[in-house]
Amino acid sequence: MPSSWGKIFKVSTFGESHGEAVGVVVEGVPAGIPIRLEEIQKDLSRRRPGQSKLTTPRDESDTVQVLSGVFEGKTIGSPIALVVHNQNTISKDYENLRETFRPSHADYTYQAKYGFRAHVGGGRSSVRETIARVAAGAIARMILEDDFGIKTVAWVDTIGKIASDLPESKFPRTREEVDVNEVRCPDIAAAEKMRALILEMKEAGDSVGGIIRCASYNLPPGLGDPVYDKLDGDLAKAILSIPACKGFEVGSGFSGTLLTGSSHNDEFYMEEGTGRVRTKTNHSGGLQGGISNGETLTVRAAFKPTSTIFKKQNTVSIDGKDTVLEAKGRHDPCVLPRAVPIVEAAVNLILVDAYLYQRAMNPLWFQKWAKVPDYYRDLKL
Amino acid sequence: MPSSWGKIFKVSTFGESHGEAVGVVVEGVPAGIPIRLEEIQKDLSRRRPGQSKLTTPRDESDTVQVLSGVFEGKTIGSPIALVVHNQNTISKDYENLRETFRPSHADYTYQAKYGFRAHVGGGRSSVRETIARVAAGAIARMILEDDFGIKTVAWVDTIGKIASDLPESKFPRTREEVDVNEVRCPDIAAAEKMRALILEMKEAGDSVGGIIRCASYNLPPGLGDPVYDKLDGDLAKAILSIPACKGFEVGSGFSGTLLTGSSHNDEFYMEEGTGRVRTKTNHSGGLQGGISNGETLTVRAAFKPTSTIFKKQNTVSIDGKDTVLEAKGRHDPCVLPRAVPIVEAAVNLILVDAYLYQRAMNPLWFQKWAKVPDYYRDLKL
Amino acid sequence: MPSSWGKIFKVSTFGESHGEAVGVVVEGVPAGIPIRLEEIQKDLSRRRPGQSKLTTPRDESDTVQVLSGVFEGKTIGSPIALVVHNQNTISKDYENLRETFRPSHADYTYQAKYGFRAHVGGGRSSVRETIARVAAGAIARMILEDDFGIKTVAWVDTIGKIASDLPESKFPRTREEVDVNEVRCPDIAAAEKMRALILEMKEAGDSVGGIIRCASYNLPPGLGDPVYDKLDGDLAKAILSIPACKGFEVGSGFSGTLLTGSSHNDEFYMEEGTGRVRTKTNHSGGLQGGISNGETLTVRAAFKPTSTIFKKQNTVSIDGKDTVLEAKGRHDPCVLPRAVPIVEAAVNLILVDAYLYQRAMNPLWFQKWAKVPDYYRDLKL
Amino acid sequence: MPSSWGKIFKVSTFGESHGEAVGVVVEGVPAGIPIRLEEIQKDLSRRRPGQSKLTTPRDESDTVQVLSGVFEGKTIGSPIALVVHNQNTISKDYENLRETFRPSHADYTYQAKYGFRAHVGGGRSSVRETIARVAAGAIARMILEDDFGIKTVAWVDTIGKIASDLPESKFPRTREEVDVNEVRCPDIAAAEKMRALILEMKEAGDSVGGIIRCASYNLPPGLGDPVYDKLDGDLAKAILSIPACKGFEVGSGFSGTLLTGSSHNDEFYMEEGTGRVRTKTNHSGGLQGGISNGETLTVRAAFKPTSTIFKKQNTVSIDGKDTVLEAKGRHDPCVLPRAVPIVEAAVNLILVDAYLYQRAMNPLWFQKWAKVPDYYRDLKL
């Protein structure tokens, strides 16, 4: 099972829902960077379950431990291993799943692929794997913030048929603006309706999906590689690898197909004062030809309703018999609020990798666009 | 500029629009496979420009040449290099683009990234690069067809606001059903309106976008790798790397976010006669947990309206001055009809790579699901 | 710092000498394989320090822990994380190395590369990193033994100028034959002299190097990929990545350059009874064109004398001043006995990766050469 | 058949001896670099056959053609495809090899691996593949020379038992010093004896091997990555992938195992005037912990005697029968003179990749050590 990512900033994750631990090894982290462990922990805590009535009651502190790569508080260039031990596992809740496949879950496909599976807690297909990415994403985020001031902020855009209504000029620019409510939707009126819908679904033993939007601010132009490693392609892969994600779009995305070229094109102009090339509109979502153009990077990700529900469903058993399943265990009626930091992590991981690759390709670009953080000056070459 | 793809069936492409040639090297192709060159050529011909009034008048025969990897008509296991020489290049049409950036094209971002660019014909960002993938995709297709009878068929689902209306049961199952009209939309009534719209846009010097749908039939369960190399993630990356693509979805995608879990879940049942596990509905689009479940794989890709239009547009020059651009050159008013074989190629490339990886992981799976083609028997180990 | 390896059976290691732990994540392990943890531990114990007077007195139990990828005793196809926590670290012994570079060690080059380093215990350059490979190598070994009966055995061939004298027909075929003495040299007479030399060096605060030979038995023909991923090239890279290794040869190696083609060529013949193609001599060392030919694979690796010695040496400080160093800490006067299992692990890791790649390429080859272990039959596809 | 190389500066080669062409695609080449095509051609001409009586009479001009990646004489950041068409192929000379395996050649192992092979001219196992690396290596060389003045020079150190006698202080520093004779050995007296031996072998229908030494000057400290991507490991893999190479060593290599640590260690001192850290001796061969230390990088590679000889040899047929082979075709009695530029190319490819990776990791290192070539200033970001 390939579980690694990235050309230079490579993450390799491991861990199952009910195994000993989940974790990640990150190689390709430059040396000398102060690692603020409390920030990694903070990102993990935004993702962890049990934070509100909207999420699964599985209560995990998700305390991260650094096993390597950091010395006296700074990176030393060697692989950074981060581990979170699983604590609150209740395997008996899953005994009936040893023989039975949950509809629209990964139970059957794992069995068909491997011929053997860890049926408890969804095993490797569990959303617990995303701990690894969030931890690695926090390191990525620090580099991006320190060198460019790049900020990536995601939020819940829709839940079911309830949509928020925020033009790009009103997009939240900090995570604090997103965390104002449990739903993580900065449109307060919409958030209230979303919250009600999620609780209604929870009550009914049912589930609901929605769309997350993510924006990245302060990207310099020139990030991303055209052709196969386009930033949008890499972002799509990273985001679609999050459990329950079924769709991705950048900029105008699917709705852009309704426009003509003359109305869709983003005309360029020179920004007064800064001398920067800007666009009047941003249907491109900050990317042209797969490369950042300096505008805000905006993407959206569609998440299906959680497949594990508490209603009876028809299904089949491992022995090929029709049967009926009634799920137990602890599950989110809606994954979106917790998926917000996961989407952010995915975006940060892709951006930092594109950045380091670009640094290899074009040192003048680094000189033009990057701030040189203080800690660089501590390096003694 | 990373330009390679795949874990085992690796493609590495090269070539610019107005350079000497475009081509591809494919490594990881098993030995002993008969290469039907005429089929590669046929796939390329479906993609080439100048086929109808709907496309750019640039007329290229796109004749493919095999430089290596094939001996006496069969693969020998070594890298296969396929090359198409550019012929009908008119560089003077692009002289004004040396200094000026076309809105929503990759001109500015290439300049910002590399500091130097081939301004003629869009250089590497041209859709001509896709020749390479279509050629490689044809080899992938042959392997998939021979070992499993997997057929991948794409078609135009919408153009602008005109949508075809085909339920999954009426999806075309052959390319011939798609090629019945120039638009490549098997819904004949819709196709006629789409054709009119494209010609209207062409007349107006404007452009239009739309959505392509792609279906793959006869996939065995077990293809694709969970977590980071999910089949949907890999498909998204591959498809978003096609010029002008801005969105991707699998199965119910964005519209699936409007349903509840109980209506969205695909219940399992045992198929009589075959003993296969099946699902009653296919909101999953053939994938669960990133792995194929044996149902039809269905994805959709959103293509923005072509950015090169023949209307005056505001833009900036390489020297940072506001200016006005009036494009010349030869361009498609709508890329979708020609993108159909490109999407198919992308899907086939991802599927064959997942297949070979799975063959490494689980030889029993090969024994259970694959047909052993005749040419295997010619191998003399 | 890239720290990963392999095309399919990928290992990614982490950990510093005096950090929290060292470990490895292995992805690309097929599902259903029984993991005999005690065998991994046994391999680690052969590598660990403190086993005899010949090695460093640092005493570590090197107890391995499985964090993921194994369920009810068997692999599930997901990444296997193995961790060994460091226990017996004495950082104060290294305080003088914060400012001073040990000659022929990696202190200076790490500083010049990263500008910041963990000076304690050699950090990432310590031989403790090899724990990770030995643990991963044990899994590789199990697969190779189960599917083919491949056995890889390494031993000390020379120490300083003392050479053992074993023709290929007398090569040890089990690890037990090697572990008969502390030196790990199956030529008993030579071993005794080697032991005396090492102890003499230890007494003198000096060190000594030597050559390890490694043989792999029962390889089927067809392993390894010509051109860039030749088995000998991959083995060389893997073995030269072991600390202190400065040379590699396969088969006749450097001494083969003294022969003519007619005396060096290995003539083929058909083996009676088995119908297998064999060679009369084995100057090729079991590889031709980078691919195994079915004969015993034999390689040799040269290890320099340990660079950390207890004599005064001229060196420079981090501030660019000439100075004199007298090393402290705990170090092996000769790394070879402990390097024996590390070389074996390197070979097993390369072989298993070549095997899985070949399985992807040629399923008929699997049918012809591999035994199908019992645990395959437990898979329920 | 994996045929690609490198983390950033990636080369992917293709082509068989008697196919249409051999070539290479290089991705990860920075933009803006002037490509001096005549230098690529010059490197290829040093490698091509038919240059003297010492080599195969196959006469190929090996004219290189650039298919992509270069615009108006400079790189544009996109993949560079270089192709050399085969011209002087005489397939009938190989008809007897369709059914018979040459001893110590790759005929049998290819057959055992793939079950099908191109028997003409050795197919992919032919030394003609190395054209691709030499062409790519020339681009690597230009970057290394322009940014650092790094010069890599290889030469013939021994042929059979005839050894040259050059201490490091007398190593040739230019290729012109090597090309003073056909053998490419700068020790004139030894070269004359080597030449006589090669001709004697040619006359006898036999062959001979030897050792090539390679030195790289002006490396800054900090190139290469410890652990798995050590510079020596990568060099070993690259060099062992050259046909007929059976051994590799860096610095003191195998002979270093005869010394004690106190005599082998390279003591550091501060160089007056430059303020650079230097070593008094260079047993390390310029590498410590897999990273360059600023001293001359020296490696040696052992090449076995050419396996194709014109004497009768016992062998077996594809149908498993003992038989006798008398080779035809055109072959080098000694590959070493022609292998000199191939070794240089391998070294340059590894160095440039390590350099670009380091540039990604540490931009301050670039500022400290690299010259900024004029063409950087032409970039217009």
Side-chain angles (χ1 to χ4, degrees):
Chain A
M1 188 185 303
S3 293
S4 50
W5 230 7
K7 289 184 290 291
I8 292 180
F9 193 95
K10 275 194 193 168
V11 303
S12 178
T13 77
F14 60 87
E16 288 83 43
S17 172
H18 282 52
E20 190 62 32
V22 293
V24 63
V25 180
V26 192
E27 63 175 58
V29 184
I33 302 173
I35 289 297
R36 306 181 285 275
L37 191 60
E38 68 283 4
E39 285 193 41
I40 301 177
Q41 190 60 59
K42 200 172 154 191
D43 286 11
L44 286 173
S45 297
R46 287 185 84 212
R47 191 219 73 93
R48 82 182 174 85
Q51 302 172 75
S52 82
K53 281 192 199 162
L54 303 186
T55 63
T56 164
R58 177 171 174 173
D59 190 14
E60 290 274 5
S61 67
D62 287 350
T63 307
V64 67
Q65 198 187 357
V66 181
L67 297 188
S68 67
V70 176
F71 179 69
E72 299 183 345
K74 290 190 210 174
T75 60
I76 50 172
S78 59
I80 300 177
L82 302 170
V83 171
V84 169
H85 284 263
N86 295 321
Q87 294 175 311
N88 189 355
T89 57
I90 310 181
S91 294
K92 69 174 167 50
D93 282 356
Y94 297 89
E95 199 46 46
N96 61 335
L97 297 184
R98 188 188 283 275
E99 305 287 320
T100 318
F101 305 130
R102 285 170 293 176
S104 287
H105 211 289
D107 297 338
Y108 167 63
T109 53
Y110 267 63
Q111 188 72 40
K113 181 174 191 67
Y114 298 110
F116 182 63
R117 75 193 157 95
H119 64 278
V120 288
R124 181 80 176 137
S125 74
S126 165
V127 75
R128 272 195 80 69
E129 183 277 337
T130 61
I131 285 175
R133 314 179 195 194
V134 171
I139 298 176
R141 182 172 57 72
M142 292 177 206
I143 296 173
L144 294 167
E145 286 184 8
D146 286 342
D147 286 17
F148 298 98
I150 293 173
K151 295 263 181 203
T152 292
V153 180
W155 64 94
V156 171
D157 200 30
T158 76
I159 294 288
K161 292 168 187 159
I162 306 166
S164 68
D165 183 24
L166 294 175
E168 190 168 324
S169 60
K170 298 245 171 112
F171 282 178
R173 301 187 72 94
T174 66
R175 288 188 258 179
E176 288 67 32
E177 296 172 57
V178 170
D179 287 353
V180 287
N181 55 57
E182 292 169 344
V183 181
R184 293 204 167 109
C185 172
D187 176 337
I188 309 297
E192 201 41 54
K193 290 182 206 156
M194 291 171 178
R195 185 173 186 278
L197 177 60
I198 296 170
L199 290 175
E200 180 192 325
M201 286 296 132
K202 186 183 177 187
E203 195 68 26
D206 209 334
S207 66
V208 69
I211 299 171
I212 286 177
R213 190 185 278 277
C214 185
S216 299
Y217 306 103
N218 301 328
L219 261 73
L223 279 181
D225 284 284
V227 190
Y228 287 156
D229 286 0
K230 281 184 173 160
L231 213 46
D232 27 3
D234 278 340
L235 288 168
K237 175 166 174 166
I239 288 173
L240 276 153
S241 72
I242 302 171
C245 185
K246 303 293 277 185
F248 169 90
E249 60 185 11
V250 58
S252 63
F254 280 88
S255 66
T257 66
L258 306 175
L259 300 179
T260 61
S262 55
S263 54
H264 189 269
N265 278 355
D266 298 317
E267 290 190 324
F268 288 114
Y269 70 97
M270 296 306 301
E271 189 176 58
E272 251 177 282
T274 66
R276 284 183 67 157
V277 175
R278 298 293 310 275
T279 66
K280 290 178 194 167
T281 48
N282 188 18
H283 294 113
S284 300
L287 296 184
Q288 286 162 343
I291 304 169
S292 66
N293 66 357
E295 301 298 319
T296 298
L297 172 68
T298 66
V299 303
R300 296 212 313 162
F303 288 82
K304 68 172 183 178
T306 320
S307 52
T308 309
I309 55 174
F310 296 93
K311 299 192 158 183
K312 282 190 185 172
Q313 298 176 92
N314 295 308
T315 186
V316 302
S317 71
I318 199 172
D319 293 317
K321 301 220 172 67
D322 288 314
T323 181
V324 171
L325 176 75
E326 207 171 343
K328 296 176 198 168
R330 296 163 299 179
H331 307 281
D332 294 286
C334 177
V335 297
L336 279 91
R338 287 180 59 207
V340 161
I342 306 171
V343 169
E344 288 172 357
V347 172
N348 281 319
L349 286 168
I350 294 302
L351 290 180
V352 82
D353 194 42
Y355 164 40
L356 294 178
Y357 191 89
Q358 172 67 356
R359 213 154 83 168
M361 280 299 110
N362 197 336
L364 301 189
W365 181 91
F366 173 81
Q367 286 173 25
K368 173 161 185 177
W369 294 107
K371 291 181 286 181
V372 178
D374 284 348
Y375 58 78
Y376 273 82
R377 289 178 207 134
D378 296 339
L379 295 182
K380 198 158 191 174
L381 290 172
Chain B
M1 187 185 302
S3 294
S4 49
W5 227 9
K7 289 184 290 291
I8 293 179
F9 193 94
K10 274 195 192 165
V11 301
S12 176
T13 77
F14 59 86
E16 289 82 43
S17 171
H18 282 53
E20 190 63 31
V22 294
V24 63
V25 180
V26 192
E27 63 176 58
V29 184
I33 302 173
I35 290 296
R36 305 180 287 274
L37 191 59
E38 68 284 0
E39 285 193 40
I40 302 178
Q41 190 60 59
K42 201 172 154 189
D43 285 11
L44 285 173
S45 298
R46 286 184 85 211
R47 192 218 73 95
R48 83 181 173 85
Q51 301 171 78
S52 82
K53 279 192 199 164
L54 303 185
T55 64
T56 165
R58 178 170 175 175
D59 189 15
E60 291 274 5
S61 67
D62 287 350
T63 307
V64 67
Q65 199 187 355
V66 181
L67 297 189
S68 68
V70 176
F71 179 68
E72 298 183 347
K74 291 192 208 171
T75 59
I76 50 173
S78 59
I80 300 177
L82 302 171
V83 171
V84 168
H85 284 264
N86 294 322
Q87 293 175 313
N88 189 354
T89 57
I90 309 182
S91 294
K92 72 175 165 50
D93 283 357
Y94 297 89
E95 200 45 46
N96 62 333
L97 297 184
R98 188 187 284 274
E99 304 287 320
T100 317
F101 304 130
R102 285 170 293 176
S104 287
H105 211 286
D107 297 338
Y108 167 63
T109 52
Y110 267 63
Q111 188 73 40
K113 182 175 191 67
Y114 298 108
F116 182 62
R117 76 194 156 95
H119 64 278
V120 288
R124 181 82 176 135
S125 74
S126 165
V127 75
R128 273 196 80 68
E129 183 276 338
T130 60
I131 285 175
R133 315 179 195 193
V134 171
I139 298 176
R141 182 171 57 72
M142 292 177 208
I143 296 172
L144 294 167
E145 286 184 7
D146 286 341
D147 286 17
F148 298 98
I150 292 172
K151 296 262 181 203
T152 293
V153 180
W155 63 96
V156 171
D157 200 29
T158 76
I159 295 288
K161 293 168 186 158
I162 306 166
S164 67
D165 183 25
L166 295 174
E168 190 167 325
S169 61
K170 297 247 172 111
F171 283 178
R173 302 187 70 95
T174 66
R175 288 188 258 178
E176 288 67 32
E177 295 172 58
V178 169
D179 287 353
V180 286
N181 55 56
E182 291 168 344
V183 181
R184 292 201 167 112
C185 172
D187 176 336
I188 308 297
E192 200 43 52
K193 289 182 207 154
M194 291 170 178
R195 187 173 185 277
L197 177 60
I198 296 170
L199 289 175
E200 180 193 325
M201 287 295 133
K202 186 185 178 187
E203 194 69 26
D206 210 335
S207 66
V208 70
I211 299 170
I212 286 178
R213 191 186 276 278
C214 185
S216 298
Y217 305 103
N218 300 328
L219 261 71
L223 277 182
D225 284 285
V227 191
Y228 287 157
D229 287 359
K230 281 184 173 161
L231 213 46
D232 25 5
D234 278 340
L235 288 168
K237 175 167 175 166
I239 287 173
L240 275 153
S241 74
I242 302 171
C245 185
K246 303 293 278 186
F248 169 91
E249 58 184 11
V250 59
S252 63
F254 280 87
S255 66
T257 66
L258 306 174
L259 301 179
T260 60
S262 56
S263 54
H264 189 269
N265 277 355
D266 297 317
E267 291 191 323
F268 287 114
Y269 70 98
M270 296 306 300
E271 189 175 59
E272 251 177 282
T274 66
R276 285 183 66 158
V277 174
R278 299 294 309 275
T279 66
K280 288 178 196 166
T281 49
N282 188 18
H283 294 113
S284 301
L287 296 184
Q288 286 162 343
I291 305 169
S292 66
N293 67 356
E295 300 299 318
T296 298
L297 171 68
T298 66
V299 302
R300 295 212 315 162
F303 288 83
K304 69 172 183 177
T306 321
S307 53
T308 308
I309 55 174
F310 295 94
K311 299 191 160 185
K312 282 189 185 173
Q313 297 177 92
N314 295 308
T315 187
V316 301
S317 72
I318 198 172
D319 293 315
K321 301 218 171 70
D322 288 315
T323 183
V324 171
L325 176 74
E326 207 171 343
K328 297 176 198 167
R330 297 162 299 177
H331 307 281
D332 294 285
C334 177
V335 299
L336 279 90
R338 288 179 58 206
V340 160
I342 306 170
V343 169
E344 288 173 358
V347 172
N348 282 319
L349 286 168
I350 294 303
L351 291 180
V352 82
D353 194 43
Y355 164 39
L356 294 178
Y357 191 89
Q358 172 67 354
R359 212 154 81 168
M361 281 299 109
N362 197 335
L364 301 188
W365 181 91
F366 173 82
Q367 286 172 27
K368 173 160 184 177
W369 294 105
K371 290 181 288 182
V372 178
D374 283 347
Y375 58 77
Y376 273 83
R377 288 178 208 134
D378 297 339
L379 295 181
K380 199 158 191 174
L381 290 171
Chain C
M1 187 185 303
S3 294
S4 50
W5 229 8
K7 288 184 291 289
I8 292 180
F9 193 94
K10 275 194 192 166
V11 303
S12 177
T13 77
F14 60 86
E16 288 82 44
S17 171
H18 283 52
E20 191 61 32
V22 293
V24 64
V25 180
V26 191
E27 62 175 59
V29 184
I33 302 173
I35 289 297
R36 306 182 284 274
L37 192 59
E38 68 284 2
E39 286 193 39
I40 301 178
Q41 190 60 59
K42 200 172 155 192
D43 285 11
L44 286 174
S45 298
R46 286 185 85 212
R47 192 219 73 94
R48 82 181 174 86
Q51 301 171 78
S52 81
K53 279 192 200 164
L54 304 185
T55 63
T56 165
R58 177 171 174 173
D59 189 15
E60 290 275 6
S61 68
D62 288 349
T63 308
V64 67
Q65 199 187 355
V66 181
L67 297 189
S68 68
V70 176
F71 179 68
E72 300 183 345
K74 291 191 209 172
T75 60
I76 51 173
S78 60
I80 300 176
L82 303 171
V83 171
V84 168
H85 283 264
N86 294 321
Q87 293 175 312
N88 188 354
T89 56
I90 309 181
S91 294
K92 71 175 165 50
D93 283 356
Y94 298 88
E95 199 46 45
N96 62 334
L97 297 184
R98 188 188 282 274
E99 305 286 320
T100 317
F101 304 130
R102 285 170 294 176
S104 286
H105 210 288
D107 297 338
Y108 167 62
T109 53
Y110 266 64
Q111 188 72 40
K113 182 175 190 65
Y114 298 109
F116 182 63
R117 76 195 156 93
H119 64 278
V120 288
R124 180 81 176 137
S125 74
S126 164
V127 75
R128 273 196 79 69
E129 183 276 338
T130 60
I131 285 175
R133 315 178 196 195
V134 171
I139 299 176
R141 181 171 58 73
M142 292 177 207
I143 297 173
L144 294 168
E145 285 185 8
D146 286 342
D147 286 17
F148 297 99
I150 293 173
K151 295 261 182 204
T152 292
V153 180
W155 64 95
V156 172
D157 201 30
T158 76
I159 294 289
K161 291 169 189 159
I162 306 165
S164 69
D165 183 25
L166 295 175
E168 191 168 323
S169 60
K170 298 243 171 114
F171 282 179
R173 302 188 70 95
T174 67
R175 288 188 260 180
E176 288 68 32
E177 295 172 57
V178 170
D179 287 352
V180 287
N181 55 56
E182 292 168 344
V183 181
R184 291 204 167 110
C185 172
D187 176 337
I188 309 298
E192 200 43 52
K193 290 182 207 157
M194 291 171 180
R195 187 173 185 278
L197 177 60
I198 297 171
L199 289 175
E200 180 193 325
M201 287 294 131
K202 187 184 177 187
E203 193 70 25
D206 209 336
S207 66
V208 69
I211 299 171
I212 286 178
R213 190 185 277 278
C214 185
S216 299
Y217 306 103
N218 300 329
L219 262 71
L223 278 182
D225 284 284
V227 190
Y228 288 156
D229 286 0
K230 282 184 172 160
L231 213 47
D232 25 4
D234 277 341
L235 288 168
K237 175 167 175 166
I239 288 173
L240 275 153
S241 73
I242 301 171
C245 184
K246 302 293 276 185
F248 169 90
E249 59 185 11
V250 58
S252 63
F254 280 88
S255 66
T257 66
L258 305 174
L259 301 179
T260 61
S262 56
S263 54
H264 188 270
N265 278 356
D266 298 317
E267 291 191 325
F268 287 114
Y269 70 98
M270 296 306 301
E271 188 175 60
E272 252 177 281
T274 66
R276 283 183 69 157
V277 174
R278 299 293 309 274
T279 65
K280 289 178 196 169
T281 48
N282 188 19
H283 294 112
S284 300
L287 296 185
Q288 286 162 343
I291 304 169
S292 67
N293 67 357
E295 301 297 319
T296 298
L297 172 68
T298 65
V299 301
R300 295 212 315 161
F303 287 83
K304 68 173 183 177
T306 320
S307 52
T308 308
I309 55 175
F310 296 93
K311 299 191 159 183
K312 281 191 185 173
Q313 297 177 91
N314 295 307
T315 186
V316 300
S317 72
I318 198 172
D319 293 316
K321 302 219 170 68
D322 287 314
T323 183
V324 170
L325 176 76
E326 206 171 344
K328 296 175 198 169
R330 297 163 300 179
H331 306 281
D332 293 286
C334 177
V335 298
L336 278 90
R338 288 180 59 207
V340 160
I342 306 170
V343 169
E344 288 173 357
V347 172
N348 282 320
L349 286 168
I350 294 302
L351 290 180
V352 82
D353 194 42
Y355 164 40
L356 294 178
Y357 191 88
Q358 172 68 354
R359 213 154 83 167
M361 281 299 109
N362 196 336
L364 301 189
W365 181 91
F366 173 81
Q367 286 173 26
K368 173 160 186 177
W369 294 105
K371 291 182 287 182
V372 177
D374 283 348
Y375 58 78
Y376 273 83
R377 286 176 210 136
D378 297 340
L379 295 181
K380 198 157 189 174
L381 291 172
Chain D
M1 187 185 302
S3 294
S4 49
W5 228 8
K7 290 185 289 290
I8 292 179
F9 193 94
K10 275 195 193 166
V11 302
S12 177
T13 77
F14 59 87
E16 288 81 43
S17 170
H18 283 52
E20 191 62 30
V22 293
V24 63
V25 180
V26 191
E27 64 176 58
V29 184
I33 301 173
I35 289 297
R36 305 181 286 276
L37 190 59
E38 67 284 2
E39 286 193 38
I40 301 177
Q41 190 60 60
K42 201 171 152 191
D43 285 12
L44 286 174
S45 297
R46 286 184 86 212
R47 192 219 72 95
R48 82 182 174 85
Q51 301 170 77
S52 81
K53 278 192 199 164
L54 304 185
T55 63
T56 165
R58 178 169 173 175
D59 189 15
E60 290 275 5
S61 68
D62 287 350
T63 306
V64 67
Q65 200 187 354
V66 181
L67 297 188
S68 69
V70 176
F71 179 68
E72 299 183 345
K74 291 190 207 171
T75 59
I76 49 173
S78 59
I80 300 176
L82 302 171
V83 171
V84 168
H85 283 264
N86 295 321
Q87 293 175 313
N88 189 353
T89 57
I90 308 181
S91 294
K92 71 176 165 53
D93 282 358
Y94 298 88
E95 200 45 46
N96 62 333
L97 298 184
R98 188 187 283 274
E99 305 286 320
T100 317
F101 305 131
R102 285 170 294 176
S104 286
H105 210 288
D107 297 337
Y108 167 63
T109 53
Y110 267 63
Q111 188 72 40
K113 182 175 191 64
Y114 298 108
F116 181 61
R117 75 192 157 97
H119 64 279
V120 287
R124 180 83 177 137
S125 73
S126 165
V127 76
R128 272 196 80 69
E129 183 277 337
T130 60
I131 285 175
R133 314 179 194 193
V134 170
I139 298 176
R141 182 171 57 72
M142 291 177 208
I143 296 173
L144 294 168
E145 286 184 8
D146 287 341
D147 286 17
F148 297 98
I150 293 173
K151 295 262 180 204
T152 292
V153 180
W155 64 94
V156 171
D157 201 29
T158 75
I159 294 289
K161 291 166 187 160
I162 307 166
S164 67
D165 184 24
L166 294 175
E168 190 167 324
S169 60
K170 297 245 171 113
F171 282 178
R173 301 187 71 96
T174 66
R175 289 188 259 178
E176 287 68 32
E177 296 172 57
V178 170
D179 286 353
V180 288
N181 57 55
E182 291 168 345
V183 181
R184 292 203 166 112
C185 172
D187 176 338
I188 308 297
E192 200 43 53
K193 288 182 207 156
M194 291 170 178
R195 186 173 186 278
L197 177 61
I198 296 170
L199 289 175
E200 180 193 325
M201 286 296 132
K202 186 184 177 187
E203 194 69 25
D206 210 334
S207 66
V208 69
I211 299 170
I212 285 177
R213 189 186 277 278
C214 185
S216 299
Y217 306 103
N218 301 328
L219 261 72
L223 278 182
D225 285 284
V227 190
Y228 288 155
D229 286 0
K230 281 184 173 162
L231 213 47
D232 27 3
D234 277 340
L235 288 168
K237 175 166 173 166
I239 287 174
L240 276 153
S241 73
I242 302 171
C245 184
K246 302 293 277 185
F248 169 90
E249 60 185 11
V250 58
S252 64
F254 280 88
S255 66
T257 65
L258 305 175
L259 301 180
T260 61
S262 55
S263 54
H264 189 269
N265 278 355
D266 297 317
E267 291 190 325
F268 287 113
Y269 70 98
M270 296 306 300
E271 189 175 58
E272 251 177 281
T274 66
R276 286 184 66 158
V277 174
R278 298 294 309 275
T279 64
K280 289 178 195 167
T281 48
N282 188 18
H283 293 112
S284 301
L287 295 184
Q288 286 163 342
I291 304 170
S292 66
N293 66 356
E295 301 298 317
T296 298
L297 171 68
T298 65
V299 302
R300 295 211 316 161
F303 287 83
K304 68 172 184 177
T306 320
S307 53
T308 309
I309 55 174
F310 296 93
K311 298 190 161 186
K312 283 190 184 175
Q313 296 176 93
N314 295 309
T315 187
V316 302
S317 72
I318 199 172
D319 293 317
K321 301 217 171 70
D322 288 315
T323 181
V324 171
L325 176 75
E326 207 172 342
K328 296 176 199 168
R330 296 163 300 176
H331 307 281
D332 293 286
C334 176
V335 297
L336 279 91
R338 288 180 58 206
V340 160
I342 306 170
V343 169
E344 287 173 358
V347 172
N348 282 319
L349 286 168
I350 294 303
L351 290 180
V352 82
D353 194 42
Y355 165 39
L356 294 178
Y357 191 89
Q358 171 67 355
R359 213 154 82 169
M361 280 299 109
N362 197 334
L364 301 187
W365 181 91
F366 173 81
Q367 286 172 26
K368 172 160 186 178
W369 294 106
K371 290 181 289 181
V372 177
D374 283 348
Y375 58 77
Y376 273 84
R377 288 177 208 135
D378 297 340
L379 295 182
K380 199 157 189 174
L381 290 172

